[in-house]
C-alpha cells in the first residue's frame, strides 16, 4: 500500500511549491516610521509671559451715538506666570495688566484693525476717553493700578479650553468664563483668547453723557494673544 501513497504525497508537495519560471510573491514593505513630533512641555513646568497683545473693542450707543466714536484699547504690557500640569486641564495661571499701559485709539492699531476702527480719532477725544476710563467712576486706576486675571479652573472642550477666571479690578473681584486655545511646544507656549463680556460681568457701569443720550454700549469684545517661555 505504501507504493500507492508515494505518488499522492509527491503531488501534494508539488502543489505547495511555486510553478517553474515564476518568482515567489514579494514580501510587503515595512511600515514607514512615524513623523517625529515636537516634544510637549514637561508637566509641572513654570512658564513666564514674554510677549502679549491685548485688544479691547468698545462701542458707542444711545440716540446721539453719531457724535461719539467706537474705541480701540490696546496694551502690550501684560505679564504673568503659567503652571503647566498633566493633563493640561490641570494647569493654572495668573496674569497682570497695568492699567496705565492701556492705550486708547492708537492710530496704527486702529488702521490695522480696519472696519469701523479704520478712521482715526482726534487725539483730544482719545485722551478724554482714556481719562474717563481710568477715572474713579470706571476702572479707578488710582485705587488699584493693576488688573489681575487668576484661573480658578480649566476644562478641556472641543477645539480648545475654557477657564473660569477671577478678575481683580476697581477694588472688586468677579468670575468670568473665557474660552481659549493653547499651542504648547518644547520652548514656547502660545495662547489665544477671543470673547465678549459686558460691563456688568466686571461690576462696572458704562460711561454715559447727556443723561444717556450718548453712552458706551454694555457689551465689548476682548482679543488676547500671549507667548510664554520656560522660567529660568
Amino acid at each position: 500500500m505504501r507504493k500507492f501513497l508515494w505518488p499522492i504525497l509527491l503531488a501534494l508537495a508539488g502543489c505547495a511549491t511555486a510553478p517553474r519560471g515564476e518568482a515567489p510573491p514579494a514580501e510587503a514593505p515595512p511600515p514607514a516610521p512615524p513623523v517625529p513630533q515636537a516634544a510637549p512641555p514637561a508637566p509641572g513646568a513654570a512658564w513666564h509671559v514674554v510677549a502679549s497683545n491685548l485688544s479691547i473693542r468698545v462701542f458707542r450707543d444711545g440716540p446721539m451715538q453719531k457724535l461719539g466714536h467706537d474705541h480701540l484699547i490696546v496694551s502690550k504690557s501684560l505679564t504673568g506666570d503659567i503652571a503647566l500640569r498633566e493633563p493640561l486641564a490641570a494647569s493654572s495661571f495668573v496674569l497682570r495688566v497695568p492699567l496705565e499701559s492701556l492705550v486708547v485709539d492708537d492710530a496704527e492699531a486702529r488702521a490695522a484693525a480696519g472696519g469701523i476702527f479704520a478712521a482715526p480719532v482726534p487725539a483730544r477725544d482719545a485722551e478724554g476717553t482714556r481719562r474717563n476710563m481710568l477715572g474713579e467712576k470706571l476702572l479707578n486706576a488710582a485705587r488699584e493700578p493693576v488688573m489681575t486675571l487668576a484661573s480658578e479652573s480649566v476644562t478641556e472642550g472641543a477645539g480648545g479650553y475654557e477657564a473660569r477666571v477671577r478678575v481683580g479690578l476697581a477694588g472688586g473681584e468677579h468670575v468670568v468664563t473665557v474660552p481659549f486655545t493653547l499651542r504648547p511646544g518644547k520652548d514656547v507656549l502660545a495662547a489665544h483668547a477671543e470673547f465678549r463680556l459686558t460691563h456688568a460681568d466686571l461690576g462696572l457701569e458704562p460711561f454715559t453723557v447727556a443723561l444717556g443720550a450718548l453712552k458706551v454700549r454694555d457689551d465689548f469684545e476682548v482679543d488676547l494673544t500671549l507667548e510664554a517661555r520656560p522660567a529660568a
Side-chain angles (χ1 to χ4, degrees), residues 9 12 14 22 42 46 74-75 78 81 89 104 126 132 138 145 157 168 175 209 211 213 220 223-224:
L9 294 176
L12 292 174
E22 294 186 13
V74 298
S75 173
L78 181 146
D81 302 283
V104 177
N132 292 330
L138 199 58
V175 177
V209 295
L211 299 177
F220 56 92
D223 190 298
L224 172 61

Side-chain angles (χ1 to χ4, degrees), residues 35-41 184-186:
V35 178
Q37 302 292 329
K186 183 178 181 180

